[in-house]
Each structure stands twice: as C-alpha cells, then as structure tokens.
Amino acid sequence: RAALELFALLTRPVAPARVQAVLEARFWPAGSGAGRARAARWLRGRGGGTMEPRDLLQAFASACAGDPACEALAGRLRAASSAWPVGRLESAGWANAFAQALETLCWPGSGTADSAGQQALEGWRALLQQFADLGAALGSCAAGRAVDVLAAMARRESFAPLGADVPVLVTAALEDPVVDYDGIWVCGLQADRWPQPARLDPYVPWTLQRRAGVEAATPAGALAVARRALAAWQGATDE
C-alpha cells in the first residue's frame, strides 16, 4: 500500500492527507521520525485541496528547512520525483521506474524484518514481474495508466503470510516423523489394512524381488515395515 501511494504521489495531483499517510509508513530510515512528524504537522496546516506533485514537494522541502532529518526526507522525495518518467513507456520500462523510485525512497526499509515482511516483499516482486510481462497487452502508456493498472493487479492478489509453525500437520506418509510432536493420531489402518499386504513390483520377476530381500514383496517384510513405523511414531511423541 505504501509503495502504491508513493507512485500516486509522484504521478498526479494529491491531497496533503495522502502524503501524510505515506509519511506514517514504517519503511523510512531510523531516526527520521521527528522529521516526518514535523512534515506531517505542516501538511495538516495545508488543509484540503490538491497540489501537483512537483509543487507539493517543493513546498514540502521549504517547510523542512533547518531540520536535517526532515531535509533528508524531502531530498529523497525530490530525487525520486526528478527521476520519475514524464513520457510514455512500455510495461517493462514502468516496472523499472517503479523499482528505482522505491530504492531511492528506501522502501521497504525495516518493513521486511520479520518472516511476514519477507513473504510480502517476495509477493510484491512477483507482482511487479507480472506487470513487466504485460508487454503488448498494456502497450505504451503514461504514468497514471501504469500506476492504475498496477494497483488493480495488486487488489486482485490475495496474500496471507505463512507462519513458521503450524498447529496440525496432516500427511499420508508412513515414514519416521523425525521431529517430536505433542501427539500423533493414526487413521485408516484397520486390521484388514495393517500391516499392509505384500506388494510385488509387476515389472520385476517376483523371485528376483524376494531373492533381493525387497521387504514389500513378502508378508514378513511388510510386517517388519509396520513394526518399524509404529516404533518411530511412538518414539516421536508421548501421546
């Protein structure tokens, strides 16, 4: 959301309140909080209405004069605005412009310090690559159209970060669990199915399979496999 707001800020007339929302995002460098707070107070004093991006950023820089942290913030915004394309580009060109603007503005900064942030960043990169691959489907367009299409694509993407641990694991594997569990519940292994019956490979002569000691080829081998599985499950849990 912060990235898309930044692109809107660089593209079209915006209300000061939208700039204030960008300043409240968490990706800015550490130590810039006081400068961003001062800039936010200045924006609140602007009231309603909209301003062109370059006019807004120029006034913003003037309001930050004398505060090093605020001036550095205004400088990053000004640099991103100066490098922002003003003509028409293909989707790949706009994808590159988006990436360069975000790098100039230190995005995503500390926003990827945790696993959820890393996953969100990977999702964003995948989305930007999809946008770059639009090619002729989007054609040559101006910044406003490119930002609108990217925002529409982002709204269609569902994202939910995966946690490091899951409370329940469901698996069809009968192998050794390897790690310990609070409890293991085994389903579907009734007496007529467990131990599993001997199963011969139909593409290898059965005499060769048994001579080679393939456990699945004999009832005794199937029983040994079942006992090892039971022992492994018992060793991996108290329940």
Side-chain angles (χ1 to χ4, degrees):
R1 181 180 299 174
L4 293 172
E5 287 290 344
L6 285 167
F7 299 151
L9 169 62
L10 296 171
T11 300
R12 55 173 63 97
V14 293
R18 294 189 68 176
V19 185
Q20 185 176 341
V22 170
L23 293 176
E24 292 172 351
R26 64 175 183 169
F27 65 84
W28 295 106
S32 64
R36 287 186 285 122
R38 176 178 175 179
R41 287 195 298 272
W42 175 79
L43 287 167
R44 283 195 293 272
R46 291 285 309 169
T50 61
M51 295 182 67
E52 289 291 337
R54 295 184 184 278
D55 295 338
L56 176 62
L57 295 176
Q58 183 175 359
F60 180 62
S62 299
C64 290
D67 185 327
C70 193
E71 288 178 344
L73 182 62
R76 290 185 181 280
L77 288 166
R78 188 167 55 250
S81 178
S82 299
W84 191 247
V86 294
R88 302 171 68 88
L89 296 175
E90 300 285 343
S91 61
W94 279 117
N96 184 57
F98 294 151
Q100 288 183 346
L102 294 178
E103 183 177 356
T104 300
L105 294 168
C106 297
W107 183 96
S110 61
T112 58
D114 54 13
S115 174
Q118 288 290 337
Q119 293 176 60
L121 181 58
E122 288 304 315
W124 165 261
R125 288 171 175 165
L127 178 67
L128 203 58
Q129 184 59 56
Q130 292 176 31
F131 177 86
D133 293 340
L134 289 176
L138 178 62
S140 178
C141 64
R145 169 66 174 163
V147 172
D148 289 343
V149 170
L150 181 62
M153 292 174 65
R155 284 192 294 269
R156 290 199 302 266
E157 291 289 329
S158 59
F159 172 76
L162 299 175
D165 299 307
V166 293
V168 177
L169 172 66
V170 180
T171 177
L174 302 179
E175 287 77 15
D176 189 334
V178 181
V179 299
D180 291 338
Y181 288 87
D182 294 333
I184 295 178
W185 184 274
V186 184
C187 306
L189 299 186
Q190 293 84 355
D192 60 342
R193 299 179 59 190
W194 187 256
Q196 293 181 330
R199 295 183 178 180
L200 295 168
D201 188 323
Y203 299 104
V204 180
W206 68 269
T207 53
L208 294 180
Q209 295 181 55
R210 291 184 173 175
R211 190 181 309 162
V214 177
E215 289 184 314
T218 65
L223 177 60
V225 170
R227 286 175 172 167
R228 282 202 305 272
L230 286 169
W233 300 337
Q234 290 171 342
T237 183
D238 292 330
E239 290 284 339

